[in-house]
Amino acid sequence: MTIAVQDLKADFPILSRSIHGQRLTYLDSAATSQKPAAVIAAELDYYQKTNANILRSVHTLAEESTLAYAKVRTLTADFIHAQADEVIFTRGTTESINLVARGYGDVHVRPGDNIVLTPLEHHSNLIPWQQLAKRQQADLRYIELRPDGNLSLESARQVIDSRTKMVAIAQVSNVLGTILPVRTVADLAHQAGAVLVVDGAQSVPHQATDVVAMGADFLAFSAHKMCGPTGVGVLWGKMAHLKTMSPVLFGGEMIAYVDRDHATWADIPARFEGGTPNIAGVVGFGAALEYLAEVGMDNVGAYMSHLGALAFQRLQNLSGVTVYGPGPDRGPLVSFNIDGVHPHDVAQAFDAKGVAIRAGHHCAQPLMHWLGVNATARASFYLYNDIDDIDVLVDAIESTKRYFAR
Ligand code: 7TS
């Protein structure tokens, strides 16, 4: 692999922390990634040297701040091979998906239409659609999974029809690691006259992204899962679709002209970014994008696939451990259960060893129902993890098994 992980680890100050007297092994990057020093420094530097509101004032700080914010829009567009004015900054994937569901869905979805999802969606890519379906008296439909956790294309062909207005799917599952066939689903959606919304929360951080090649109409993702700050997200949409959308957040800086009874909207994307945005966060996100670009997203992609496959193979060979989801071809995470031990106890036992994982339903309760479990433990990786961390994970599982077998 072309990533010098030992060098990268040194870029992340938090990784030198110890937890309960042990070296921190951070395996919870699907929840949020750690931040390199360059990102932390960029936010601090912004507040110390540039801080001012954007788009309003003509003083030097305001102009520098406006430029810094605009520069990150261009960086983001370049990162996903889009146009800068198609990039809307939000607070995160959740807000991005709510924005499409309200802004696009309320305009285009009519009674009797249907919205197509999958059973593995994070609640962020489920509840906004449930609510839209209720508001518009539309139906929700599901493309079923195959027993191995991969998407059934046969089901996709059956479910998507001429009344389908929107299809919303994750590119990578945050629980199973399943990689969904986005391009094929995009083609099916488009043949039916529907738009495809892609939840990229677990994919954009881990692989090179090209919205055109993907065939998506909208893409949502979060800065905090890709070395950036919390409180910043992106909604990318094709300009032709954005033009048909209604703004959702009304107020300052999203207008062109206002009188007592009437208002007109600012250009896109400003009309979707009402109020003062998270300027410092966006600046920090810019530093994150530069950091990832320097490592190279093709390198990150190859390395993440390698770690995901390796972790799957190592865990699958352990007795008394159930690993969920498809085979080694998956995103960089592995959900598992240890026979007879509640996943929360697993996470607690791991924490005592300085190993941070997540346990629970991972905001994907319909998927837990499909798996027939209440919860799983999940280890998830990012570019600062290495094979030693997978050894630590395996050792932690073995010692937890021994402890609970006593
Ligand atoms: N979609 C997917 C696939 C996700 O994994 C998450 C967060 C979201 C949407 C929501 O992102 P947010 O930034 O708006 O919160 N996933 C997780 C997780 O797996 N553990 O904690 C958060």
Side-chain angles (χ1 to χ4, degrees):
M1 293 299 125
T2 41
I3 291 189
V5 181
Q6 278 320 314
D7 298 345
L8 287 190
K9 271 190 195 276
D11 294 338
F12 292 79
I14 208 168
L15 297 181
S16 56
R17 249 201 86 165
S18 62
I19 302 285
H20 306 306
Q22 319 252 5
R23 180 180 73 94
L24 166 65
T25 303
Y26 187 73
L27 302 179
D28 197 18
S29 293
T32 198
S33 77
Q34 295 303 347
K35 322 302 173 199
V39 168
I40 300 164
E43 273 205 60
L44 184 68
D45 192 64
Y46 169 80
Y47 277 127
Q48 286 183 334
K49 297 192 186 133
T50 315
N51 180 50
N53 212 330
I54 57 166
L55 299 171
R56 288 158 169 83
S57 316
V58 291
H59 57 78
T60 301
L61 294 183
E63 281 180 2
E64 286 179 9
S65 192
T66 301
L67 278 178
Y69 186 83
K71 181 183 153 202
V72 182
R73 202 187 298 282
T74 304
L75 278 176
T76 308
D78 292 348
F79 195 82
I80 59 171
H81 292 89
Q83 306 300 318
D85 54 2
E86 296 174 330
V87 169
I88 300 163
F89 287 122
T90 64
R91 284 192 302 130
T93 304
T94 303
E95 186 173 295
S96 298
I97 295 172
N98 275 273
L99 173 55
V100 203
R102 278 262 176 206
Y104 186 91
D106 282 7
V107 172
H108 293 275
V109 176
R110 295 278 152 258
D113 288 343
N114 66 69
I115 303 156
V116 172
L117 311 172
T118 83
L120 58 65
E121 300 310 320
H122 186 281
H123 297 162
S124 297
N125 196 33
L126 165 58
I127 301 168
W129 306 116
Q130 285 179 350
Q131 293 298 312
L132 170 64
K134 287 194 172 111
R135 284 195 302 277
Q136 305 300 96
Q137 284 118 46
D139 298 323
L140 278 187
R141 293 183 175 182
Y142 287 87
I143 306 174
E144 291 306 329
L145 303 176
R146 299 204 311 250
D148 65 357
N150 277 310
L151 199 70
S152 161
L153 284 175
E154 201 183 359
S155 170
R157 286 190 195 94
Q158 281 164 7
V159 165
I160 298 171
D161 67 13
S162 61
R163 292 307 301 268
T164 305
K165 281 288 158 59
M166 309 191 72
V167 180
I169 63 170
Q171 191 171 19
V172 170
S173 158
N174 68 318
V175 178
L176 301 178
T178 306
I179 300 166
L180 287 89
V182 167
R183 178 76 235 189
T184 310
V185 176
D187 292 343
L188 291 172
H190 294 153
Q191 280 155 25
V195 295
L196 177 68
V197 180
V198 175
D199 174 352
Q202 298 294 348
S203 55
V204 177
H206 301 139
Q207 62 191 59
T209 301
D210 182 333
V211 287
V212 180
M214 189 192 286
D217 296 282
F218 294 96
L219 174 70
F221 55 101
S222 297
H224 72 93
K225 295 189 203 283
M226 50 194 294
C227 297
T230 50
V232 177
V234 173
L235 175 67
W236 166 83
K238 277 187 187 156
M239 184 49 75
H241 298 318
L242 296 179
K243 282 184 176 161
T244 72
M245 265 171 68
S246 164
V248 168
L249 209 55
F250 300 97
E253 295 304 328
M254 52 75 64
I255 51 83
Y257 175 79
V258 183
D259 67 17
R260 287 190 177 202
D261 300 316
H262 179 72
T264 56
W265 311 142
D267 287 342
I268 295 167
R271 76 172 62 153
F272 300 114
E273 293 180 6
T276 301
N278 184 353
I279 308 164
V282 167
V283 168
F285 180 41
L289 292 172
E290 281 170 344
Y291 182 86
L292 290 172
E294 194 153 320
V295 180
M297 284 312 289
D298 287 332
N299 295 332
V300 173
Y303 188 60
M304 293 296 98
S305 304
H306 171 65
L307 282 189
L310 198 67
F312 169 78
Q313 278 151 355
R314 293 287 303 277
L315 265 61
Q316 201 203 20
N317 288 329
L318 303 177
S319 65
V321 175
T322 305
V323 179
Y324 301 100
D329 192 9
R330 54 166 56 216
L333 59 87
V334 51
S335 285
F336 61 95
N337 269 316
I338 300 178
D339 288 354
V341 189
H342 194 280
H344 283 124
D345 293 334
V346 174
Q348 198 85 53
F350 278 35
D351 183 60
K353 297 183 170 301
V355 182
I357 61 163
R358 183 175 172 190
H361 55 60
H362 311 290
C363 304
Q365 287 183 5
L367 181 58
M368 295 295 119
H369 304 154
W370 182 84
L371 288 170
V373 298
N374 290 323
T376 74
R378 179 190 68 186
S380 56
F381 310 98
Y382 206 17
L383 71 180
Y384 36 71
N385 292 118
D386 58 13
I387 295 172
D388 292 347
D389 295 330
I390 296 179
D391 286 339
V392 171
L393 169 65
V394 170
D395 289 349
I397 292 175
E398 291 298 357
S399 74
T400 304
K401 270 163 53 178
R402 282 195 301 275
Y403 180 83
F404 281 93
R406 286 188 309 184

